[in-house]
Amino acid sequence: YLMLAFLVALYVINYVDRQILSVLLEPIKRDLGASDTQMGVLTGLAFALFYTLAAIPIARLADAGVRRDVIVVGGAGWSVMTAACGFARNFVELALARVGVGIGEATLNPAAHSMISDYFPPEKRATALALRCAPQAEGDHGEREHEPHGLGREVVLADPVGDHVQPDRGPAHPLADPQAAFLPLEEEVG
């Protein structure tokens, strides 16, 4: 069950990294001066196409028995590419980073399903798979909840406590609001 808990934790990170762009769509559109079509490409094609296409060869790698390594490399890759989204200064840079996030995140599902199939007997496998996917259902529900303390939804997802936000001065992070959501939050400055 420790392995399952680890996979659930990775799935939560995977889910937040995947959804953060959608949450910050309007501020990013405004900062980049992007069109609705470009934003649609970022939230759809740039991620989904490469996520889907990469999953097929990655599943073959997972079946070959290197599942742990596939997850480690993929997790590191999607984390680096999510951070790259925060540093993107134009549409092309952000689109390329989103492609990288899609490819990196495509590693988790095939490898996790394969690992769960090895660790859990058939009579317990469905429960294990449901537990691994439960955070997505809760995340979908959480996004529809009202924002606490009048803070924006991006703060709720990136920093649930909200202690890195200075409501009268904006975020403590030195990057623009939408960029900061892609990066780990640092200690509040000043």
Side-chain angles (χ1 to χ4, degrees), residues 5 7 19 48-49 54 60 63 66 72 84-85 87 97-98 109 125 130 152-153 160 163 167 175 181:
L7 292 175
Q19 298 302 319
L49 178 67
R60 292 189 66 127
D63 286 340
V66 291
V72 168
C85 289
F87 289 108
R98 284 296 288 173
N109 280 334
R125 197 171 297 149
R153 188 165 72 187
D163 61 354
L175 297 174

Side-chain angles (χ1 to χ4, degrees), residues 33-120:
S35 69
D36 288 340
T37 301
Q38 288 174 316
M39 296 313 290
V41 167
L42 288 177
T43 57
L45 187 64
F47 178 86
L49 178 67
F50 290 94
Y51 180 91
T52 303
L53 292 177
I56 297 165
I58 289 168
R60 292 189 66 127
L61 282 174
D63 286 340
V66 291
R67 296 176 298 273
R68 183 195 66 216
D69 295 342
V70 167
I71 290 173
V72 168
V73 170
W78 93 60
S79 296
V80 166
M81 296 312 287
T82 299
C85 289
F87 289 108
R89 299 287 180 216
N90 58 54
F91 170 77
V92 172
E93 289 177 7
L94 187 54
L96 290 173
R98 284 296 288 173
V99 166
V101 171
I103 293 169
E105 288 191 6
T107 61
L108 184 58
N109 280 334
H113 282 246
S114 183
M115 287 178 80
I116 289 170
S117 294
D118 284 349
Y119 279 80
F120 291 89

